[in-house]
Amino acid sequence: MRHLIDFGDLPRQEWDSLYHRASEIIDAPEKFIDVCRGKVSANLFYEPSTRTNFSFQTAMLRLGGSVFGFADPNSSSVSKGETLKDTIKIVSNYADVIVMRTPWEGAAKAASLYSNVPVVNAGDGGHMHPTQTMADLTTITRLRGKVDDLSIGLCGDLKNGRTVHSLIKALAKFQNITFFLISPRELAVPDYVRTFMRENNMRFTEVTGLEAVMPQLDVLYMTRIQKERFVDPVEYERNKGIYVLTRRKLDRAKPDMLILHPLPRVDEITVDVDDDPRAVFFQQARFGMFARMALLEHLATQPRWEDRDLPPVEIGTKPVCTNPRCITQTQHYLPPLVKKIGGVDCCGFCDAALR
Amino acid sequence: MRHLIDFGDLPRQEWDSLYHRASEIIDAPEKFIDVCRGKVSANLFYEPSTRTNFSFQTAMLRLGGSVFGFADPNSSSVSKGETLKDTIKIVSNYADVIVMRTPWEGAAKAASLYSNVPVVNAGDGGHMHPTQTMADLTTITRLRGKVDDLSIGLCGDLKNGRTVHSLIKALAKFQNITFFLISPRELAVPDYVRTFMRENNMRFTEVTGLEAVMPQLDVLYMTRIQKERFVDPVEYERNKGIYVLTRRKLDRAKPDMLILHPLPRVDEITVDVDDDPRAVFFQQARFGMFARMALLEHLATQPRWEDRDLPPVEIGTKPVCTNPRCITQTQHYLPPLVKKIGGVDCCGFCDAALR
Amino acid sequence: MRHLIDFGDLPRQEWDSLYHRASEIIDAPEKFIDVCRGKVSANLFYEPSTRTNFSFQTAMLRLGGSVFGFADPNSSSVSKGETLKDTIKIVSNYADVIVMRTPWEGAAKAASLYSNVPVVNAGDGGHMHPTQTMADLTTITRLRGKVDDLSIGLCGDLKNGRTVHSLIKALAKFQNITFFLISPRELAVPDYVRTFMRENNMRFTEVTGLEAVMPQLDVLYMTRIQKERFVDPVEYERNKGIYVLTRRKLDRAKPDMLILHPLPRVDEITVDVDDDPRAVFFQQARFGMFARMALLEHLATQPRWEDRDLPPVEIGTKPVCTNPRCITQTQHYLPPLVKKIGGVDCCGFCDAALR
């Protein structure tokens, strides 16, 4: 692994090995306080994301490394009239690893073409957020011993949540999972996710009610459901209470069910749930930090690549992709990368189907 | 000591022990550059306070620890739709100690109920600022050998200055101090401070002029006095020169008097005073850093508390306190804590009397 | 060397010694990861400059030191009603070295009068930027073995670029350099630079075309040339293509010519040049970090000066300099420093001639 752009690129075996390391760190974090001594992480957050940034920062600091960067590009001059390529060339001269969060889909992939050090995708628009998936899988594996053979309920806004889409794609690597997709009809998973699950023989049921399936779940993954996502306010009023997890609704859940949430929560889990031992969403944040420690240790301790070690990159002239949020829309020098997804030509940066 | 929320909670003996440690650090700071190695401080500044933040940051860095956080919540997304409780639960999963500054009174106390690591109050609105008091006492003790038996003049705006109120409360722990409270009549100490001093048998004289009492002082504690605090502009014009400390006014002061100031100063001490050996306000900033080192060493090296080690917290539904700046006004899940102060029922967070 | 305010203050021998150290660091950076352990740098950026700040931060971090400060004073309260002197007195109580960038000319010099620790000028308005010059010289020396005896072309806006002026002044310390000053007539070097070069017997030719002199150059130093600098838009349209460096124009250049650029570039070097081995402007950023490591090691490991070790500073009352961008315009307590430059009385802070 040179970079972490998409969790889907990670073979199951590499994930197992990363998880194994994360688990060793959880058992004895004090053994790892020097493994990144002298190493420096550049955290480039082109949009604010305090929790993700804090998690990556503390992960690096707890390995004995250090961190610089920006938390919001408005307070910096980095993007002023400079291409992403130039920023990455400069920053990869200073850092041993680059962690980047952007509103532009495919930006981490674009950065990886030019970087002399590993790039970690900390979220690129609505596209990917692979280390959130690492946090989710670490939590389940650590607390249930494994991810295979479980019944997993995904609840809330399944249409817009990239966390949920990433997690579903990642769970295709595991065996014998039963999915319950719990959402209002208008916030159900997109067609391409449904197709993906069928193609990968993933067993799933779509339902609109949470309480009926509660007794069957080993894991309940809650997500934010926002009023403004509903086209019809009447529909919202009818639905809103259904997806709020309360202490009372947990009465019918298994005693060892895990409640996960990518955080921040707004009001989809009431505060009286927090003290229930099944509520592990704050621990999940902690496991996320440990998973990022395993990742950063792996990436930041690699030797730096000289320019001559980097594969040559074709110089583009205009975008081949029409996705308005794709990084190629503004960075015209990017090469015209195309890849096949399910037999369809897609953008090599943002994965959108090409027309 | 699990947290430092209010200097008043600290028994004299614990303070003596902290001062003793601060003093050892002042004598040989190089011996302490590893005591917090591997430890991480979260500095959550919900309002900017550059000097306090710098002091806490460098204190942690000089102990070999590291720091993350935000200097101004506008540049972060931490508070967006998230409760203080959730922020603290997440951050205390990443950090070994939390240093927080907020505009809301009682916020540090509220945070301490949920945190898995120690919380330090770096200022909560107009309520408390215990580490400024640590800086003041360290400076006096270090330079005069002790705090007991001194004549201390507090000069300027004694009505609005939380630094002065904190210091007076702290000095109740010491013996045989003579106070001179030097202020315009309309900026005299509030009644509750006067009552507190009488109840604690503290010897004090209130005066409006600085020069007459100057010869008696061992310590002169200057504070900002702002034009906009005066109701009557004529009163301001009549008063303004009186409280400006100049080199000339020092002619009548004792040769070993100490001049303190919490900084920043505006124009209440003229620049020609700076080179006088009695002007120790810049040293005071340095002693403040060392005092914070002693505090952070003590707190950050404690083992982390698991959720099961935290006392259970009742879930509230609405504030019992009517102070509009109290943290309970916006965080309705906080428990309805009440405590007695001088026989009166007061809010357990902001100390305001309940109606 | 107590401070680095102006590269011109550095004797050739001190520079050679700094370069020697930078070169040792480039050869084996891992040997230096502990030389600033326990040391803390204050990076005070009163205007944003992401690249310079990143370079100084990573330089300190790679020496095992740590960094605090602000990247933009708007997000801090440091300047609110406080003099530069007070800020420096406080910060030099916390830090072992101060790196400062300001829009005010002479500000680093002013800071150095009061600081208890070394001050590094990271750019003071249009005045000086000595560590950019260190980056330039390190790059040339490292890649060509020496700076003496070379033909150096400076191309673009030579009127407004402080980088170019600093570099020319620094190159007066070297032997037998041939200069080509390549610019549109209206963006030629200012008279005082031309006078400086003649006084120092520096051999130079001023030309308007890049291609004609290309074959003679050992170093081509490119700078930004901005449309808005041209008084006459027709002139701009006629000139704009001339100063864009393309792969094709390099056909006539020496095979070992070095292309430098202080970065960020806008469009004065096309992206197809980047893969040419003569394009060393990204390496130049890396060498800049190593040069700053040599500087910070030297400065941050000095013992701290007590107030009694600092030379006394006269208290001023009003500015003697009329340069509206000079630090003395707002900081009236600064002493009335005057120095002779080429027989003319100049401001001791910003170097502007006094009237």
Side-chain angles (χ1 to χ4, degrees):
Chain A
M1 179 178 29
R2 294 195 109 182
H3 307 281
L4 182 63
I5 307 302
D6 177 353
F7 193 90
D9 300 339
L10 210 63
R12 169 77 189 259
Q13 194 183 330
E14 281 206 50
W15 163 248
D16 286 345
S17 146
L18 267 183
Y19 172 75
H20 181 71
R21 192 58 158 176
S23 210
E24 288 177 332
I25 298 173
I26 295 167
D27 289 335
E30 68 284 359
K31 289 187 188 161
F32 292 81
I33 64 171
D34 265 340
V35 300
C36 282
R37 189 153 146 269
K39 301 297 179 185
V40 182
S41 173
N43 285 23
L44 308 184
F45 276 60
Y46 285 91
E47 63 179 12
S49 177
T50 312
R51 282 159 219 82
T52 303
N53 201 354
F54 280 4
S55 183
F56 272 107
Q57 285 184 53
T58 50
M60 191 65 181
L61 296 173
R62 289 187 178 284
L63 296 168
S66 52
V67 181
F68 72 103
F70 47 82
D72 180 353
N74 294 339
S75 65
S76 96
S77 60
V78 110
S79 50
K80 226 178 273 169
E82 187 177 72
T83 62
L84 179 64
K85 176 187 173 182
D86 279 19
T87 301
I88 294 299
K89 288 307 290 181
I90 296 173
V91 169
S92 71
N93 271 313
Y94 298 152
D96 298 294
V97 61
I98 294 175
V99 173
M100 63 188 289
R101 168 83 159 223
T102 77
W104 316 298
E105 302 183 3
K109 171 70 181 175
S112 73
L113 299 178
Y114 305 105
S115 181
N116 299 78
V117 300
V119 172
V120 177
N121 186 1
D124 58 337
H127 183 227
M128 293 289 165
H129 192 4
T131 59
Q132 177 65 49
T133 304
M134 289 178 60
D136 301 340
L137 295 179
T138 300
T139 306
I140 298 172
T141 315
R142 182 78 188 181
L143 296 178
R144 294 297 304 242
K146 58 176 182 175
V147 177
D148 307 293
D149 307 319
L150 298 180
S151 281
I152 299 180
L154 302 166
C155 178
D157 180 350
L158 306 187
K159 183 178 168 194
N160 302 291
R162 72 178 160 193
T163 329
V164 165
H165 305 163
S166 283
L167 183 58
I168 289 173
K169 282 186 67 180
L171 289 171
K173 297 179 196 290
F174 295 85
Q175 308 294 320
N176 191 35
I177 297 177
T178 306
F179 288 88
F180 292 91
L181 306 178
I182 309 153
S183 74
R185 257 179 262 284
E186 58 195 294
L187 296 178
V189 292
D191 279 341
Y192 83 88
V193 171
R194 213 173 278 115
T195 307
F196 174 87
M197 296 185 82
R198 289 205 184 102
E199 277 179 352
N200 285 274
N201 298 313
M202 298 166 84
R203 203 161 51 237
F204 69 93
T205 310
E206 296 187 71
V207 297
T208 54
L210 169 58
E211 288 180 78
V213 300
M214 185 75 87
Q216 297 174 258
L217 302 178
D218 297 309
V219 173
L220 171 57
Y221 197 98
M222 296 294 294
T223 64
R224 276 183 298 288
I225 186 162
Q226 294 165 297
K227 188 175 180 176
E228 56 271 31
R229 296 295 194 191
F230 284 83
V231 180
D232 180 358
V234 179
E235 183 80 2
Y236 171 73
E237 290 302 321
R238 216 158 33 81
N239 275 300
K240 64 178 180 184
I242 298 179
Y243 301 105
V244 174
L245 183 64
T246 60
R247 188 81 174 236
R248 195 193 51 70
K249 287 185 192 165
L250 284 175
D251 287 348
R252 303 184 53 208
K254 292 185 186 175
D256 59 355
M257 188 186 76
L258 302 179
I259 307 165
L260 275 72
H261 190 296
L263 302 177
R265 71 170 155 180
V266 182
D267 51 15
E268 58 278 358
I269 301 178
T270 57
V271 74
D272 61 354
V273 170
D274 298 3
D275 297 325
D276 191 293
R278 290 167 287 196
V280 298
F281 35 85
F282 294 126
Q283 276 182 71
Q284 185 184 356
R286 189 159 170 82
F287 287 135
M289 176 183 70
F290 289 123
R292 288 179 177 104
M293 287 175 74
L295 179 69
L296 289 175
E297 183 205 1
H298 180 70
L299 294 177
T301 56
Q302 298 184 29
R304 196 172 173 274
W305 311 307
E306 297 303 321
D307 284 337
R308 61 174 175 273
D309 305 328
L310 298 176
V313 181
E314 184 185 341
I315 300 174
T317 52
K318 61 177 190 340
V320 294
C321 170
T322 54
N323 172 5
R325 293 176 306 278
C326 178
I327 185 69
T328 60
Q329 297 297 327
T330 54
Q331 310 287 312
H332 292 174
Y333 56 85
L334 287 172
L337 297 188
V338 176
K339 66 180 175 190
K340 293 272 183 200
I341 301 180
V344 178
D345 277 346
C346 292
C347 174
F349 295 94
C350 74
D351 294 337
L354 301 180
R355 288 181 215 166
Chain B
M1 179 180 28
R2 294 194 108 184
H3 308 282
L4 180 64
I5 306 303
D6 177 352
F7 193 90
D9 301 339
L10 210 62
R12 168 77 192 257
Q13 193 184 330
E14 281 205 51
W15 162 248
D16 286 344
S17 146
L18 265 183
Y19 172 75
H20 180 70
R21 192 57 159 176
S23 210
E24 289 177 331
I25 298 174
I26 294 167
D27 289 334
E30 68 282 1
K31 289 188 188 161
F32 293 81
I33 65 171
D34 264 340
V35 300
C36 281
R37 188 153 147 267
K39 301 298 179 183
V40 182
S41 172
N43 286 25
L44 308 183
F45 276 61
Y46 286 89
E47 63 180 10
S49 176
T50 312
R51 284 160 217 81
T52 303
N53 201 354
F54 280 3
S55 182
F56 273 108
Q57 285 184 51
T58 51
M60 192 63 180
L61 296 173
R62 289 187 177 285
L63 295 168
S66 51
V67 181
F68 71 102
F70 48 82
D72 180 354
N74 293 338
S75 65
S76 96
S77 61
V78 109
S79 52
K80 224 179 273 169
E82 187 176 71
T83 62
L84 179 65
K85 175 187 174 182
D86 278 19
T87 301
I88 293 299
K89 289 307 290 182
I90 296 173
V91 169
S92 71
N93 272 312
Y94 298 152
D96 298 294
V97 62
I98 294 175
V99 173
M100 64 190 288
R101 167 83 159 223
T102 78
W104 315 298
E105 303 182 3
K109 171 70 181 177
S112 73
L113 299 178
Y114 305 105
S115 181
N116 299 79
V117 299
V119 172
V120 177
N121 186 1
D124 59 336
H127 183 226
M128 292 290 167
H129 192 5
T131 60
Q132 177 64 50
T133 304
M134 288 178 60
D136 302 341
L137 295 179
T138 300
T139 305
I140 298 171
T141 315
R142 181 80 188 178
L143 297 178
R144 296 295 305 239
K146 59 177 183 175
V147 178
D148 307 293
D149 307 320
L150 297 180
S151 280
I152 299 181
L154 302 166
C155 177
D157 179 351
L158 306 186
K159 182 177 169 196
N160 303 291
R162 71 179 160 194
T163 328
V164 165
H165 306 164
S166 282
L167 183 58
I168 289 175
K169 283 186 66 181
L171 289 171
K173 297 179 196 290
F174 295 84
Q175 307 295 319
N176 191 35
I177 296 177
T178 307
F179 289 88
F180 292 92
L181 308 178
I182 309 154
S183 74
R185 256 178 264 284
E186 57 196 293
L187 297 178
V189 293
D191 279 342
Y192 82 89
V193 172
R194 212 173 278 114
T195 308
F196 173 88
M197 294 184 84
R198 289 203 185 103
E199 277 178 353
N200 285 274
N201 299 312
M202 299 165 83
R203 202 162 51 238
F204 68 95
T205 311
E206 295 187 73
V207 297
T208 54
L210 170 58
E211 289 179 78
V213 300
M214 185 76 86
Q216 298 174 259
L217 303 179
D218 298 309
V219 173
L220 170 57
Y221 196 96
M222 294 294 296
T223 65
R224 275 184 298 290
I225 184 162
Q226 293 165 297
K227 186 175 181 177
E228 57 270 32
R229 297 294 193 192
F230 284 83
V231 179
D232 179 357
V234 178
E235 182 81 3
Y236 172 72
E237 291 302 321
R238 217 159 32 80
N239 274 300
K240 65 178 178 183
I242 299 179
Y243 301 105
V244 175
L245 184 62
T246 59
R247 189 82 174 235
R248 195 192 52 70
K249 287 184 191 165
L250 285 175
D251 288 349
R252 304 183 54 207
K254 292 186 186 173
D256 60 353
M257 185 185 79
L258 302 179
I259 307 165
L260 275 72
H261 190 297
L263 302 179
R265 70 169 154 181
V266 182
D267 51 14
E268 58 278 359
I269 301 179
T270 57
V271 75
D272 61 354
V273 170
D274 298 3
D275 297 324
D276 191 294
R278 290 167 286 195
V280 298
F281 35 85
F282 294 127
Q283 277 182 70
Q284 184 184 357
R286 189 159 170 84
F287 287 135
M289 176 182 71
F290 289 124
R292 289 180 177 103
M293 287 174 74
L295 178 69
L296 289 175
E297 182 205 0
H298 180 72
L299 294 178
T301 56
Q302 298 185 28
R304 194 171 175 276
W305 312 307
E306 296 304 320
D307 283 338
R308 62 176 174 272
D309 305 327
L310 298 175
V313 181
E314 184 185 341
I315 299 174
T317 52
K318 61 176 190 338
V320 293
C321 171
T322 55
N323 172 3
R325 293 176 305 277
C326 179
I327 186 69
T328 60
Q329 296 298 327
T330 55
Q331 310 287 313
H332 292 174
Y333 56 85
L334 287 173
L337 298 188
V338 176
K339 66 180 174 190
K340 292 272 184 202
I341 301 179
V344 179
D345 278 346
C346 293
C347 173
F349 296 94
C350 74
D351 294 337
L354 300 179
R355 290 182 212 168
Chain C
M1 180 179 29
R2 295 194 109 181
H3 307 282
L4 181 63
I5 306 303
D6 177 351
F7 193 90
D9 301 340
L10 211 60
R12 169 79 189 257
Q13 195 184 328
E14 280 206 52
W15 163 248
D16 286 344
S17 145
L18 266 182
Y19 172 74
H20 181 71
R21 193 56 158 178
S23 210
E24 289 178 332
I25 297 174
I26 294 168
D27 288 334
E30 68 283 359
K31 289 188 188 160
F32 293 81
I33 63 172
D34 264 341
V35 300
C36 282
R37 189 153 148 268
K39 300 298 178 183
V40 182
S41 172
N43 287 22
L44 308 184
F45 276 61
Y46 286 89
E47 63 181 9
S49 176
T50 312
R51 282 160 219 81
T52 303
N53 201 352
F54 280 3
S55 182
F56 272 108
Q57 284 184 53
T58 51
M60 192 63 180
L61 296 172
R62 289 187 178 285
L63 295 168
S66 52
V67 181
F68 71 102
F70 47 82
D72 179 354
N74 293 338
S75 65
S76 95
S77 60
V78 109
S79 51
K80 225 179 274 170
E82 188 177 69
T83 62
L84 179 65
K85 176 188 173 178
D86 278 19
T87 302
I88 294 299
K89 289 308 290 181
I90 296 173
V91 170
S92 71
N93 272 314
Y94 298 153
D96 298 293
V97 62
I98 294 175
V99 174
M100 64 188 288
R101 167 85 159 222
T102 77
W104 316 297
E105 302 182 4
K109 171 70 182 175
S112 72
L113 299 179
Y114 305 105
S115 181
N116 299 78
V117 300
V119 172
V120 177
N121 186 1
D124 58 337
H127 184 227
M128 293 289 167
H129 192 4
T131 61
Q132 177 64 50
T133 304
M134 289 179 59
D136 302 340
L137 296 179
T138 300
T139 305
I140 298 172
T141 316
R142 182 79 189 179
L143 296 178
R144 294 296 304 242
K146 58 177 182 173
V147 178
D148 307 294
D149 308 318
L150 297 180
S151 281
I152 299 181
L154 302 166
C155 177
D157 180 352
L158 306 187
K159 183 178 168 193
N160 303 290
R162 73 177 160 196
T163 329
V164 165
H165 305 164
S166 283
L167 183 57
I168 288 173
K169 283 186 66 180
L171 289 172
K173 298 179 197 288
F174 295 84
Q175 307 295 319
N176 191 35
I177 296 177
T178 306
F179 288 89
F180 293 91
L181 306 179
I182 309 154
S183 73
R185 258 179 262 283
E186 57 195 293
L187 296 178
V189 292
D191 280 341
Y192 82 88
V193 171
R194 212 173 281 115
T195 308
F196 174 86
M197 294 185 84
R198 289 204 185 103
E199 278 178 353
N200 286 273
N201 298 312
M202 298 166 82
R203 202 162 50 239
F204 68 94
T205 312
E206 295 189 72
V207 297
T208 55
L210 170 58
E211 288 180 79
V213 299
M214 185 76 85
Q216 298 173 256
L217 303 178
D218 297 309
V219 173
L220 171 57
Y221 197 98
M222 296 294 296
T223 65
R224 276 185 297 289
I225 183 161
Q226 293 167 298
K227 188 175 178 174
E228 55 272 31
R229 297 295 192 190
F230 284 82
V231 179
D232 179 358
V234 178
E235 182 81 3
Y236 172 72
E237 289 303 321
R238 215 158 33 80
N239 274 301
K240 65 176 180 184
I242 299 178
Y243 301 105
V244 175
L245 184 64
T246 61
R247 187 81 173 236
R248 195 192 52 70
K249 286 185 193 167
L250 284 175
D251 288 348
R252 303 184 55 207
K254 292 186 187 174
D256 59 354
M257 187 186 76
L258 302 179
I259 307 164
L260 275 73
H261 190 297
L263 302 177
R265 71 169 154 182
V266 182
D267 51 14
E268 58 280 359
I269 301 178
T270 58
V271 75
D272 61 354
V273 170
D274 298 4
D275 297 324
D276 191 293
R278 290 167 286 195
V280 298
F281 35 83
F282 294 127
Q283 276 182 70
Q284 184 185 358
R286 189 158 170 84
F287 287 135
M289 175 182 71
F290 288 124
R292 289 180 177 104
M293 287 173 73
L295 179 70
L296 289 174
E297 183 205 1
H298 180 71
L299 294 178
T301 55
Q302 299 183 29
R304 195 171 174 277
W305 311 308
E306 296 304 320
D307 284 338
R308 62 175 174 273
D309 304 327
L310 298 176
V313 181
E314 184 186 340
I315 299 175
T317 52
K318 62 177 187 339
V320 293
C321 170
T322 55
N323 172 4
R325 293 177 305 278
C326 178
I327 186 70
T328 59
Q329 296 298 328
T330 55
Q331 309 288 311
H332 292 175
Y333 55 84
L334 287 173
L337 297 189
V338 177
K339 66 179 173 190
K340 292 271 183 204
I341 302 180
V344 178
D345 277 348
C346 293
C347 173
F349 296 94
C350 74
D351 293 337
L354 300 179
R355 289 182 213 170

